[in-house]
Structure formats: structure tokens, C-alpha cells
Amino acid sequence: MASEAEIKIGQVDDVQELHRAGLETVPDRYIRDGDDRPGGDNVCALAHIPVIDVGELTRDDELNKLRLACEEWGFFQVVNHGIEDELLDEMEKLAREFFMLPLEEKEKYPMAPGGIQGYGHAFVFSEDQKLDWCNMLALGVEPAFIRQPKLWPTTPAKFKETLEKYSVEIRGLCRRLLAHIAETLGLAPGTFGDLFGEAVQAVRMNFYPPCPRPELVLGLSAHSDGSAVTVLQQDMSCAGLQVIKDGAWVPVHPIPHALVINLGDSLEASEIDSPWFLSGAAMGIRAWLTDQQALAAHARAQVLTNGRYRSVEHRAVTNSEQDRLSVVTFYAPAYDVELGPLPEFVTDEAPCRYRRFNHGEYSRHYVTRRLEGKKTLEFAKINQITTAAPEELCSCK
Ligand code: OGA
Ligand code: NI
């Protein structure tokens, strides 16, 4: 990883300030190449991501709906999720108040070039890189050692205590959802909770001011999340988040007090014909299940030929009228959890496709690259690595 001093990111304007200045054109660094622009005929405005009632997940039909949502979309909204509306409203209000502060105030919590925590533009690593039409405040939350307390805003008052409370609730929701997701795979509900160890939790608040030429820019480049699950709270102003489905971008329409959930790279099931057990979900399980449990899970998993879950690409678009705010929580395995395919399931016909790595390594890799679709997940695939012999990389030998 390049040190901060080596990273030259050039002039990065604050997009809220550009908007405040009444700018009618968009600086070149924000203008996307043709294919990468949000307009065009590959937006499918009529489709909707599934809506899951968390309170009903003890029922088979709702659990089945969740399974289908994971299989077919990798994205869904949750209602009846148990988090109080008032807390969601308060978090949104305080986040918005923070972004409305004068720039000098926000710059008291600066994101270092190439860094990921604080206020600024994340994922900027070079002078010629296209920029997103977005301001961000990103903070590590759990475990305590990833926190950078100096970057937690002291204004607005109550920001910190509300974020603490909010994060506890969201963490509980992530655990509940992962328990249900495990069930949809025929695994014991505690499987992911156990294997993730002391899960990593980070929050990113994204603020998208109106843009004079929304058809030329992206609010957030297409990417998949480096988490296991992501919980996104969005304001009611307008649809800005878009999810890829069958090659088309589907907008996620806000539902009052619903939360948008998506599966991240840690839960990815990858190669089309590989056994499910070589999937990302299984890579995590490797570290914690006894062989017997693993064999039982594998036996079930093989039946679930379509039971492969994917981390799905998404992006954010802007518009010329309204700003938009999202509060996004990333929940991922502990950094030291070792991931790698199970030796029992690697054969000549099904060669080992993933090298052994831990989430910390993956996370470092993820945050030191610009957002670019699902390229970061290539990291885990053995055929991308040419310098080391497979047996050095793979946990299967
Ligand atoms: C993210 C993300 C989308 C949005 O922060 O990873 O996908 O609508 N955000 O803000
Ligand atoms: Ni995302």
C-alpha cells in the first residue's frame, strides 16, 4: 500500500461547495465516459427489489422469500425490523445537519489522501481518476481498535451518542439477518455469528448534492461492498441507489423507515459451476466448522444447486433538483478470521479456486483500490495470481 505521502490525488473539489456556488457546468473530473454514464436504455424503472418482513421470518414462506431475494437479487428492503422509527429519524437528521455545516467545520475531521475514515472523498488514489458527485463521512465503529475518536464529529451535539445507539441496533439487525440467511442455506442459525468472531462494523454517510448535469456524472461508482452484509438507510427525497439485475439498473425506491440490505463480497458465491462449498460463504465457514458439520452442510448445499448468493453491483445516481442522504453500515467478519476452501471438497474436477486469506487482508486490498465493479474480488481467485505456486496459496493441499 502506498503511503499517504506518495498518493497524489490532485484537485478534489467539495461537491456541496460547487453546488452552493451555483455552478452550471460540471468539472471535467466528474464527467464519465459514455458507457459509464447513468442515462440510457439499461435502466429498468419498473422493477422493484423484494421487501422482507423481518418479524415474519419465523414463517417458512417469508424465509423462502428471503432465500429468493438472496439468490435472485442480493438486495432487498426490510420492514418490521425492530429498530425504532425515532432512532432512524434522529440519525438521519443529525447526519444531514453535519453535512450542512460550513466546510471549515467539516474539515476538522479530514479524510487523509488514500484514507477511508473522516470527511471527504474515499477511494481516490490518482490525479486522473474520475470522481463521484458525493461527500462522505466514514467512521470505523467496532471493534474499538478501528475507531478514530478524533474523527467523530462533536457538532451537531448528540451526533456521537446517537451513532453509538444506532450502531448497536444495526449490529443486532445484522446478526438477526445473518441467522436467517444461514437458515435459508440449510445451516444452523448461529453459523455466521460464530464464524465471524468479533465482527467489524463501519459506517459511511453519503451526501449527494443536486448536480447541474446528472446525466454525465455518478453519485457513487458501480461497486460491490467488501462487507458480509450492508444496511443502508436512505432519506425519502428520491431514488438514487441502483442495483444491477439481468444487465439492467433497477432503482431502489425509498419506503418510509425501511432499510435496504445487500450481501457483500464475504458472502459471494462465485464460479457458475463450482460446488457451492467453494463459495465465499463457505470460505468463512472453513475456519470454524468441525469436519462433520462441514460435511453435513456440504451435503445439503449440493442439493441447493441454485443456493449460491452473490454480492451484487450497485451505484448511486444524482439529479438536478434534490439532494440525497444515505447512512450505510458495513458488517464484516473479524479481520483475523481465516478464509479458504475446505480441503475435502477440492478434487481434480473441482480444483481449488480460492487462496487462503483473512478478512483483514481483503479489507486492506479493498480500501486501497478505487471502486470498480467487482474487480476487488479477483483478489481471492487463484487464477489471478501467477507468482506463487498454488500449494503455497491454497488451504486445500
Ligand atoms: C455504499 C453505497 C449507495 C447509496 O456506500 O457502499 O453503495 O445510495 N451507497 O448511498
Ligand atoms: Ni455499496
Side-chain angles (χ1 to χ4, degrees):
M1 177 179 169
S3 74
E4 280 173 21
E6 291 164 354
I7 295 177
K8 289 206 179 70
I9 61 173
Q11 169 71 24
V12 178
D13 295 312
D14 185 286
V15 284
Q16 276 176 273
E17 296 303 310
L18 293 179
H19 173 63
R20 272 183 197 151
L23 180 91
E24 280 170 19
T25 53
V26 172
D28 210 37
R29 278 197 86 177
Y30 294 88
I31 299 180
R32 301 283 167 159
D33 299 333
D35 287 356
D36 212 13
R37 292 181 187 171
D41 53 8
N42 68 339
V43 175
C44 179
L46 294 178
H48 290 275
I49 66 169
V51 178
I52 304 292
D53 183 328
V54 181
E56 295 289 316
L57 280 171
T58 46
R59 286 184 19 203
D60 282 351
D61 53 347
E62 200 65 19
L63 197 65
N64 204 34
K65 232 168 106 183
L66 174 63
R67 183 175 58 76
L68 286 173
C70 292
E71 271 172 22
E72 292 174 3
W73 289 87
F75 258 88
F76 49 93
Q77 306 214 44
V78 291
V79 293
N80 195 14
H81 44 59
I83 303 180
E84 288 179 3
D85 292 353
E86 293 71 29
L87 181 58
L88 299 179
D89 292 343
E90 180 73 358
M91 191 69 260
E92 184 181 310
K93 177 174 149 277
L94 292 170
R96 185 170 277 278
E97 275 175 31
F98 172 79
F99 283 106
M100 291 307 147
L101 292 172
L103 184 60
E104 312 83 76
E105 187 63 32
K106 292 182 280 189
E107 283 182 338
K108 290 183 181 161
Y109 315 99
M111 186 182 288
I116 46 161
Q117 292 200 41
Y119 175 76
H121 259 87
F123 306 104
V124 185
F125 301 102
S126 73
E127 287 170 300
D128 50 9
Q129 186 184 330
K130 292 291 178 195
L131 298 178
D132 294 330
W133 193 264
C134 177
N135 283 336
M136 294 174 170
L137 173 69
L139 301 168
V141 178
E142 294 289 347
F145 71 83
I146 70 165
R147 280 198 194 198
Q148 295 187 15
K150 284 200 186 116
L151 298 177
W152 285 53
T154 50
T155 338
K158 286 213 169 160
F159 182 96
K160 204 173 156 212
E161 67 177 84
T162 306
L163 180 57
E164 294 269 14
K165 208 167 148 201
Y166 179 83
S167 296
V168 169
E169 293 296 316
I170 298 282
R171 195 171 179 87
L173 177 64
C174 289
R175 293 181 65 91
R176 273 175 82 193
L177 288 172
L178 281 165
H180 290 301
I181 290 170
E183 281 183 278
T184 66
L185 291 164
L187 299 167
T191 307
F192 293 121
D194 293 346
L195 75 86
F196 282 9
E198 195 178 6
V200 174
Q201 185 175 353
V203 68
R204 185 160 71 216
M205 301 176 184
N206 303 304
F207 186 84
Y208 306 94
C211 176
R213 299 296 305 276
E215 74 284 9
L216 301 179
V217 311
L218 284 176
L220 194 59
S221 305
H223 64 284
S224 63
D225 292 342
S227 56
V229 281
T230 301
V231 180
L232 179 143
Q233 179 184 346
Q234 56 180 340
D235 65 15
M236 288 301 295
S237 63
C238 52
L241 171 61
Q242 296 183 339
V243 176
I244 200 111
K245 170 84 163 109
D246 303 330
W249 291 103
V250 175
V252 178
H253 298 281
I255 300 174
H257 298 118
L259 295 164
V260 181
I261 311 296
N262 67 281
L263 308 184
D265 293 342
S266 303
L267 288 190
E268 156 114 13
S270 215
E271 303 295 312
I272 297 297
D273 294 320
S274 70
W276 177 87
F277 224 77
L278 285 178
S279 74
M283 288 194 281
I285 292 166
R286 164 74 184 88
W288 293 83
L289 293 189
T290 64
D291 286 353
Q292 240 173 4
Q293 284 170 317
L295 278 164
H298 182 240
R300 277 195 298 275
Q302 273 190 324
V303 183
L304 299 170
T305 45
N306 290 317
R308 291 170 290 111
Y309 294 171
R310 301 179 61 84
S311 66
V312 168
E313 267 185 66
H314 51 284
R315 68 182 187 182
V317 299
T318 63
N319 70 79
S320 57
E321 303 296 320
Q322 284 170 303
D323 57 37
R324 178 171 170 267
L325 173 84
S326 64
V327 178
V328 186
T329 299
F330 304 98
Y331 185 88
Y335 287 131
D336 57 357
V337 170
E338 280 277 335
L339 307 171
L342 273 172
E344 293 87 332
F345 306 117
V346 176
T347 61
D348 287 347
E349 294 75 49
C352 182
R353 288 201 169 94
Y354 299 94
R355 67 193 188 93
R356 197 174 174 80
F357 63 98
N358 67 39
H359 180 68
E361 246 184 283
Y362 184 64
S363 200
R364 261 192 311 283
H365 175 83
Y366 189 96
V367 301
T368 52
R369 273 153 191 80
R370 69 191 176 94
L371 294 181
E372 199 180 355
K374 296 186 61 164
K375 280 209 170 146
T376 36
L377 201 58
E378 297 295 318
F379 166 87
K381 292 184 184 164
I382 281 182
N383 58 9
Q384 300 301 315
I385 297 158
T386 50
T387 48
E391 52 272 23
E392 284 172 39
L393 302 164
C394 183
S395 56
C396 324
K397 296 276 156 65

